Amino acid sequence: GQQVMQIPQYQHVQEGEDFTTYCNSSTTLSNIQWYKQRPGGHPVFLIQLVKSGEVKKQKRLTFQFGEAKKNSSLHITATQTTDVGTYFCAGRETGGFKTIFGAGTRLFVKA
Amino acid sequence: NAGVTQTPKFQVLKTGQSMTLQCAQDMNHNSMYWYRQDPGMGLRLIYYSASEGTTDKGEVPNGYNVSRLNKREFSLRLESAAPSQTSVYFCATDGVAMNTEAFFGQGTRLTVV
């Protein structure tokens, strides 16, 4: 079945450093979504990418969807303490009906 | 507009006790999910329902049962709770046909002693 792998599992950064998390699917995806979960909270939707090679930005966050629609990345420029949390990617297999979540990358930011 | 409502928010059970976690959504979505999240870990899919009357096992279904009562409600039952089921449980919903994002409930923090 479809699997979505996400790396790294954890990342510790100094405030101001950049951060990237990567997501890879075993099958072609119809879309990729990214979520953020603050400590003690629930996952909250950030963005969705649909097109091959698509790049979207939200302030310091840059999201990319691979040309083959099997991988994606989230890059945060100049991290801040407010970026702390777990970032999940989630994808739906082309023609599928179920959203599959990656295991998440937990980001720690040291002030 | 409540979105996704989970009850209870907190629960402590003794080993062997049973309980049902309730989830209701008012977003008219077809798909509903139950996940568990252990401390410091990611989301693991327990069960999934693509529509009213249908359910499918996820990654970690053992020890759980589900019921999709109607389009709005999707409940998760622990028949005989075990300490290994101590976790935070999230219900989520998305509209597959509409290609929408997933909306999560606030979570149920369950401790089995």
Side-chain angles (χ1 to χ4, degrees), chain A residues 9-10 30-31 33 35 37 40-45 48 50 86 88 92 96-104 106, chain B residues 31 33 35 37 39-43 45 48 50 57 90 94-97 99-107 109:
Chain A
Q9 188 176 4
Y10 301 95
S30 61
N31 64 30
Q33 298 171 344
Y35 295 78
Q37 182 182 28
H42 61 280
V44 175
F45 175 77
Q48 175 173 274
V50 177
T86 301
F88 293 97
R92 187 170 300 147
F97 297 94
K98 184 168 60 178
T99 300
I100 303 294
F101 277 78
R106 197 169 177 188
Chain B
S31 296
Y33 308 76
Y35 296 93
Q37 185 176 36
M41 304 297 285
L43 300 168
L45 182 65
Y48 158 70
K57 293 179 179 179
F90 288 104
D94 65 15
V96 173
N99 210 28
T100 65
E101 68 267 28
F103 294 86
F104 284 78
Q106 298 291 319
R109 281 154 180 78

Side-chain angles (χ1 to χ4, degrees), chain A residues 1-74:
Chain A
Q2 181 194 3
Q3 287 187 324
V4 176
M5 284 75 70
Q6 194 173 349
I7 57 170
Q9 188 176 4
Y10 301 95
Q11 184 80 57
H12 292 258
V13 299
Q14 196 74 32
E15 190 173 24
E17 291 182 338
D18 292 356
F19 160 75
T20 305
T21 173
Y22 301 90
C23 186
N24 288 284
S25 170
S26 55
T27 57
T28 303
L29 302 171
S30 61
N31 64 30
I32 192 82
Q33 298 171 344
W34 286 92
Y35 295 78
K36 178 182 179 181
Q37 182 182 28
R38 295 182 186 276
H42 61 280
V44 175
F45 175 77
L46 292 175
I47 206 162
Q48 175 173 274
L49 305 172
V50 177
K51 299 177 183 177
S52 170
E54 189 170 12
V55 178
K56 287 188 176 181
K57 292 190 175 184
Q58 287 181 349
K59 297 183 180 178
R60 294 178 294 103
L61 278 61
T62 302
F63 305 84
Q64 294 187 329
F65 200 9
E67 294 289 340
K69 300 185 77 172
K70 295 179 74 171
N71 57 72
S72 181
S73 64
L74 158 59

Side-chain angles (χ1 to χ4, degrees), chain B residues 6-86:
Chain B
Q6 274 184 249
T7 56
K9 287 187 171 56
F10 301 92
Q11 183 73 49
V12 179
L13 290 178
K14 293 182 179 179
T15 297
Q17 285 186 316
S18 63
M19 79 161 295
T20 300
L21 281 63
Q22 307 285 355
C23 177
Q25 52 103 357
D26 61 5
M27 311 182 82
N28 200 34
H29 286 166
N30 285 319
S31 296
M32 297 186 76
Y33 308 76
W34 275 106
Y35 296 93
R36 62 175 287 175
Q37 185 176 36
D38 298 332
M41 304 297 285
L43 300 168
R44 289 191 290 170
L45 182 65
I46 305 171
Y47 270 95
Y48 158 70
S49 172
S51 62
E52 179 183 350
T54 67
T55 60
D56 288 294
K57 293 179 179 179
E59 184 184 353
V60 287
N62 291 343
Y64 305 95
N65 286 301
V66 290
S67 179
R68 183 74 182 268
L69 304 169
N70 47 55
K71 192 171 187 178
R72 291 188 65 248
E73 297 171 292
F74 188 36
S75 60
L76 178 72
R77 182 160 179 84
L78 287 70
E79 290 292 350
S80 179
S84 60
Q85 294 178 304
T86 294

